[in-house]
Amino acid sequence: MRNSWIIALREVKERIGSRSYVLFAIFGPLIILGLVYLLFVFGGNEAEKWNILVTDKAGILDNKLMPHPDPNVTYSFANDYIEHTDFANGKRYQQYDAMVEINEKVLSNKLSYVFYRTKPSFNLQAKVQYQVERRLEEVMIQRFTDLSVQTFREIKQPIKFSFRNVYDPYDQTSDVRTWVGFFFGMVILAFIALFGMTILRSVTSEKSNRIVEVLLASVRPQQLLFGKLTGVGISAFIQFFIWIIFIGLGLYLMREWMFPSIYDASSMNMAELTDNGRILSVQEKLYAGKEFNTIVDLVYERVNFGVMLTFFVLFFIGGYLFYGSFFAAIGSTAGTENDGQQFILPVLLILALSAYAGYYTVANPESELTGWLHYIPFTSPVVVMVKLTYGYAAGEAYQIWLSLIVLLLSAFFCLSVASRLYKNGVLQFGHRLKLQHLFKWLRK
Amino acid sequence: MLSVEHISKSFFRKQALDDVSLGAEKGEIFGLLGPNGAGKTTLIRIINRIVEPDNGVVRINGAIMTRKHLEHIGYMPEERGLYKSMTVEDHAVFLGRLRGLSKQDVTAKLNYWLDKFEIGDWKKKRIEELSKGMAQKVQFICTVLHEPELLILDEPYSGFDPINTELIKNELIHMRNQGKTIVLSTHNMKSVEEICDRVALIHHSKKLLEGRVADIQEERKEGLYAIRFRGNMIAFANALWSGFEVVDTENPSDNLFIVRVKMRGENTFDDLLKVLIGQVKIEAAWEVLPTMQDIFISIVQPKLTEAL
């Protein structure tokens, strides 16, 4: 054990001292934070601000659209017809991002063109359409019916079919959140692939520079393998903790300094909410809360990071040991470094399939195949992470522990096979690795 | 000290060692000889418990060897490597701790060796900054750092220039004088003659020869004597008559000759000197013993021919 620890410490020191490790520790979290920032900025509908000119020659809209101004969209009215070419090139129109054309026959032909300079997001398109439609609706109600707007809208309301999971009637585990599970699973796979390759390189370089024989004169092959896996694993964990600290700190700073209004009630369009609140559906209420951002909500409120990180660590350890044994076995049995990289391709392919299994679980969380993938050690680290976000019903929590036990038992089995291959293969040099070598060394 | 008893080892269909027994006494340098592929490295790996034998045992001071004994063994393989990115000091600490030393012990002993080899300024250098010969020196230091009772060296001189070869050789002799046992696998027959007390020759997985170097040479001598003289070669030949046979002649300078002579009949070295004195000016005369190189080739060559 002492010797394994000495070997592990050497691995940690070498990894942490390497330039690539430091760069990965710095730029990895920065890239993630950058992506999160972009999602914050563009993921919600508060980001774009549009200045729109409404051309309404017939004065149908009566120069108004909404009772209260929208913080993101400003409407100006022109009671004239403007050619879209004039709008495109005319100096006086350059301040407008788009032009909404309300023709004289709009109440009958129900057609309106919107000319934009840069294409707006779907959210903004929907918002403009929603606001113009509602104003036209008011006009039509006044012209063609004796009903009040409120009564008309009550009659017009379609029956909403809200599909709810009987075990989660309040939709506490939304589809969006499962992507967080998928993300965690992908981080596990990415770290396994990255540090698995580190194991492979470390073993093959020890073979190629022949120091392995010196080491084996002091330690057992199993101790050497275990020390190496532990050392690389600890480096991976240190890397991961650096990520957690950087990303956590980054998210905190973003919330405090860059997006201070995220949860500020004053930034919500409360008037819109209260005016129409009584007759709006839940989704419409959310839509009316102008500053609402699903990504922000997801990151800061809806993910239980405590549970996710706990199981992330457990399944990372299991997955790392499981896959790590493959990388170590291939590294020790390969004759050359290139040889090893060829044999590693199938393992990387399995990792890619495992990523697909995670995606499949997001789409089909309850399917029979997902049930199997949940226990198969190749796929369980990522599938369990996704399933965790759906939550386990009371009485089904054993499934996650069972999956973990299966993963750990498989990891120990693979480690014992890998150490046998390691012991017999690590002193073989210069050969071209064939499957028969592996079978031979397994039998020895 | 070291006793190898009836060791056999095969790798699938290939027999690497076949019932090999040998032993090295405390305070001696034992040479392990043999052509490439003879099984020397396999035997060394078995002694170091890197490879397990199919049959036979290794004993240290009479007791069956266990992993615990490895702490008292220093091993420097032929294909030796170092971690290129580590400094000399870190490397020594790493390998020293694996051999059971504390970090403080390693540092103290490392300083001793670096001072002894006058390479104190290498301590903080990374291995990749060192030349091959420098790295070999570091490797040697790492091997002896824990003051092993048994030192096993596979081709210890490879990569060393003559000066460093001499340095290592003197160090090995010094260690032997301190009572350490050294097992040396080498193709350098000159060094075998110079420093080995006893040798064993392995060929085709079997031990063919074991004994003291002087005894082996004595057993295999062919009654040859060499005379270095100044004078006339014809006069020399005439003096010999039929009682002696000239085997070969060297003529390093004008009237200087070195002639190797074989006795015929009952003639002795004294008789040879008697017939020559007065005929030529004898500068030196000695009995020619076979070199270890000759013995090695004489044993291995026929076997190689048979194998072909």
Side-chain angles (χ1 to χ4, degrees):
Chain A
M1 197 64 201
R2 178 181 178 272
N3 284 347
S4 291
W5 184 239
I6 294 169
I7 287 162
L9 286 181
R10 195 207 73 80
E11 287 290 339
V12 172
K13 206 172 168 186
E14 179 161 325
R15 299 278 91 76
I16 290 179
S18 75
R19 191 178 298 171
S20 59
Y21 187 92
V22 176
L23 290 177
F24 191 56
I26 294 169
F27 289 107
L30 280 182
I31 289 168
I32 299 271
L33 283 171
L35 289 173
V36 171
Y37 174 81
L38 290 176
L39 285 171
F40 279 10
V41 172
F42 299 111
N45 53 8
E46 83 283 11
E48 293 169 286
K49 291 194 187 300
W50 249 27
N51 198 9
I52 295 176
L53 176 66
V54 181
T55 61
D56 180 14
K57 192 176 179 185
I60 294 170
L61 299 179
D62 202 16
N63 291 352
K64 64 180 180 185
L65 267 179
M66 300 172 300
H68 301 283
D70 186 305
N72 296 328
V73 187
T74 309
Y75 293 99
S76 303
F77 294 87
N79 296 116
D80 200 356
Y81 178 75
I82 299 168
E83 274 291 338
H84 65 84
T85 48
D86 293 341
F87 179 75
N89 305 316
K91 250 185 188 172
R92 53 197 287 213
Y93 302 123
Q94 293 306 312
Q95 58 179 307
Y96 300 108
D97 298 299
M99 176 175 75
V100 176
E101 193 181 84
I102 305 293
N103 64 66
E104 295 99 321
K105 294 178 183 171
V106 70
L107 296 180
S108 54
N109 67 15
K110 309 276 175 63
L111 180 65
S112 174
Y113 291 99
V114 181
F115 297 97
Y116 56 81
R117 296 191 194 278
T118 51
K119 191 168 186 178
S121 68
F122 282 114
N123 260 352
L124 196 56
Q125 286 181 35
K127 180 189 271 190
V128 172
Q129 184 178 356
Y130 170 77
Q131 290 168 342
V132 174
E133 260 181 12
R134 283 178 75 83
R135 177 65 188 130
L136 283 170
E137 194 178 72
E138 283 172 20
V139 173
M140 283 194 278
I141 291 164
Q142 281 171 354
R143 287 199 187 177
F144 305 123
T145 73
D146 298 327
L147 298 170
S148 69
V149 173
Q150 196 173 322
T151 312
F152 177 85
R153 282 188 179 150
E154 277 176 19
I155 296 167
K156 183 197 147 192
Q157 280 295 309
I159 296 171
K160 285 187 165 50
F161 266 70
S162 180
F163 287 85
R164 298 286 169 99
N165 183 338
V166 70
Y167 301 110
D168 181 23
Y170 302 107
D171 195 23
Q172 290 169 330
T173 58
S174 75
D175 282 354
V176 179
R177 209 162 71 169
T178 61
W179 287 103
V180 174
F182 182 68
F183 172 78
F184 272 87
M186 292 308 291
V187 170
I188 291 182
L189 294 185
F191 270 69
I192 286 174
L194 192 72
F195 285 92
M197 290 303 286
T198 306
I199 294 171
L200 176 82
R201 275 198 302 274
S202 174
V203 173
T204 49
S205 71
E206 272 176 9
K207 271 188 82 166
S208 61
N209 75 15
R210 304 293 200 264
I211 187 140
V212 69
E213 193 162 350
V214 178
L215 299 179
L216 288 177
S218 300
V219 297
R220 290 191 177 91
Q222 291 88 340
Q223 287 178 320
L224 183 54
L225 176 64
F226 186 69
K228 189 166 288 298
L229 284 173
T230 308
V232 175
I234 290 172
S235 336
F237 258 110
I238 293 172
Q239 179 82 255
F240 177 68
F241 279 117
I242 294 171
W243 278 44
I244 292 284
I245 290 166
F246 274 20
I247 292 173
L249 193 67
L251 288 177
Y252 174 77
L253 293 177
M254 270 193 210
R255 183 171 166 167
E256 293 298 311
W257 289 352
M258 297 171 87
F259 301 97
S261 62
I262 283 170
Y263 286 105
D264 184 355
S266 67
S267 62
M268 289 199 173
N269 192 340
M270 295 310 289
E272 181 79 2
L273 280 171
T274 48
D275 279 359
N276 302 303
R278 200 166 63 81
I279 56 167
L280 292 179
S281 69
V282 173
Q283 287 307 315
E284 281 170 328
K285 279 178 185 166
L286 295 180
Y287 180 76
K290 299 294 187 290
E291 297 300 321
F292 188 82
N293 182 326
T294 50
I295 305 296
V296 172
D297 176 57
L298 178 71
V299 171
Y300 289 116
E301 295 295 315
R302 301 186 73 182
V303 176
N304 186 341
F305 283 104
V307 173
M308 290 301 287
L309 285 176
T310 305
F311 283 103
F312 174 90
V313 168
L314 292 173
F315 276 87
F316 173 77
I317 292 172
Y320 168 77
L321 290 176
F322 180 73
Y323 277 103
S325 59
F326 286 86
F327 284 96
I330 291 170
S332 61
T333 49
T336 61
E337 224 161 305
N338 288 342
D339 205 11
Q341 278 165 6
Q342 277 178 9
F343 266 75
I344 218 71
L345 274 178
V347 182
L348 293 178
L349 192 66
I350 291 171
L351 278 169
L353 284 175
S354 183
Y356 180 74
Y359 177 76
Y360 180 84
T361 308
V362 170
N364 307 282
E366 306 296 341
S367 77
E368 194 180 340
L369 179 59
T370 303
W372 284 104
L373 294 173
H374 183 269
Y375 294 109
I376 294 172
F378 287 102
T379 52
S380 64
V382 63
V383 170
V384 166
M385 283 292 113
V386 176
K387 291 274 281 181
L388 255 178
T389 53
Y390 280 105
Y392 288 81
E396 285 183 359
Y398 75 91
Q399 289 179 0
I400 192 168
W401 295 108
L402 185 60
S403 176
L404 184 63
I405 290 167
V406 170
L407 177 64
L408 288 175
L409 287 177
S410 309
F412 286 120
F413 171 74
C414 286
L415 278 175
S416 69
V417 171
S419 66
R420 183 174 278 262
L421 285 171
Y422 190 88
K423 179 182 162 191
N424 294 316
V426 80
L427 286 174
Q428 310 291 328
F429 308 108
H431 58 281
R432 189 169 175 76
L433 183 60
K434 293 176 183 166
L435 275 178
Q436 67 201 59
H437 287 128
L438 300 181
F439 290 124
K440 251 196 254 181
W441 289 331
L442 270 179
R443 288 204 308 270
K444 271 171 83 176
Chain B
M1 171 68 189
L2 170 71
S3 171
V4 169
E5 297 171 7
H6 306 291
I7 294 283
S8 295
K9 177 72 188 176
S10 62
F11 295 101
F12 301 105
R13 293 194 192 99
K14 189 180 182 316
Q15 185 83 27
L17 289 169
D18 185 6
D19 196 28
V20 172
S21 297
L22 49 86
E25 297 301 321
K26 184 174 168 59
E28 76 173 12
I29 299 179
F30 187 89
L32 196 55
L33 315 180
N36 294 331
K40 302 187 301 290
T41 300
T42 302
L43 181 61
I44 285 174
R45 285 178 177 173
I46 286 172
I47 296 170
N48 279 290
R49 296 183 68 88
I50 296 170
V51 172
E52 288 169 18
D54 297 335
N55 287 305
V57 290
V58 178
R59 291 179 191 275
I60 301 283
N61 293 326
I64 290 179
M65 191 184 166
T66 63
R67 290 203 77 82
K68 194 73 191 153
H69 288 109
L70 288 175
E71 288 185 3
H72 306 291
I73 296 178
Y75 173 44
M76 189 165 82
E78 180 181 8
E79 297 264 20
R80 40 197 176 261
L82 298 162
Y83 290 110
K84 290 186 170 54
S85 59
M86 289 175 89
T87 63
V88 171
E89 184 179 27
D90 285 348
H91 221 296
V93 169
F94 172 63
L95 292 176
R97 289 190 68 201
L98 284 180
R99 290 289 190 180
L101 294 181
S102 68
K103 192 178 174 184
Q104 291 74 15
D105 282 348
V106 175
T107 310
K109 289 175 199 298
L110 177 65
N111 287 338
Y112 164 80
W113 279 102
L114 292 178
D115 289 344
K116 187 167 191 178
F117 283 180
E118 297 175 345
I119 50 174
D121 53 335
W122 293 7
K123 198 171 169 181
K124 299 287 177 194
K125 277 195 175 177
R126 289 152 74 99
I127 301 296
E128 61 198 351
E129 296 173 63
L130 306 179
S131 69
K132 190 184 175 193
M134 290 157 93
Q136 298 279 61
K137 251 182 188 174
V138 173
Q139 182 64 263
F140 179 80
I141 291 173
C142 290
T143 308
V144 298
L145 210 56
H146 59 298
E147 297 176 356
E149 290 302 311
L150 173 62
L151 192 60
I152 300 171
L153 308 170
D154 200 350
E155 289 295 343
Y157 306 124
S158 73
F160 280 124
D161 58 33
I163 293 169
N164 283 318
T165 300
E166 202 59 26
L167 183 78
I168 298 297
K169 198 189 295 172
N170 291 337
E171 209 46 60
L172 294 179
I173 291 168
H174 178 65
M175 286 178 175
R176 173 184 61 187
N177 295 341
Q178 288 180 320
K180 313 283 187 196
T181 306
I182 297 159
V183 174
L184 190 64
S185 165
T186 183
H187 289 124
N188 185 336
M189 293 300 148
K190 191 166 169 287
S191 71
V192 170
E193 284 168 15
E194 282 173 358
I195 67 168
C196 286
D197 300 300
R198 294 197 315 121
V199 294
L201 176 67
I202 297 176
H203 187 42
H204 285 324
S205 72
K206 287 184 175 13
K207 185 187 79 177
L208 300 184
L209 182 74
E210 184 182 0
R212 298 191 67 76
V213 174
D215 293 346
I216 290 170
Q217 287 178 316
E218 187 69 26
E219 279 167 20
R220 289 173 181 265
K221 70 183 181 184
E222 295 169 343
L224 275 180
Y225 292 88
I227 309 288
R228 192 175 77 211
F229 67 91
R230 287 191 185 273
N232 190 315
M233 187 61 208
I234 295 170
F236 179 89
N238 288 339
L240 293 182
W241 284 101
S242 59
F244 308 93
E245 177 189 340
V246 173
V247 177
D248 56 39
T249 307
E250 283 178 58
N251 188 194
S253 63
D254 270 356
N255 62 345
L256 179 68
F257 297 89
I258 299 169
V259 183
R260 295 207 298 168
V261 179
K262 205 171 187 175
M263 307 297 149
R264 277 185 182 156
E266 298 297 313
N267 285 325
T268 64
F269 186 42
D270 286 348
D271 298 331
L272 176 65
L273 293 177
K274 277 178 198 165
V275 299
L276 290 175
I277 289 171
Q279 306 298 321
V280 291
K281 189 182 172 189
I282 298 171
E283 287 189 345
W286 64 94
E287 185 177 20
V288 177
L289 291 174
T291 63
M292 286 307 294
Q293 172 100 356
D294 295 334
I295 295 168
F296 181 90
I297 291 171
S298 70
I299 294 173
V300 170
Q301 196 80 350
K303 300 277 176 190
L304 283 176
T305 314
E306 279 169 29
L308 291 171

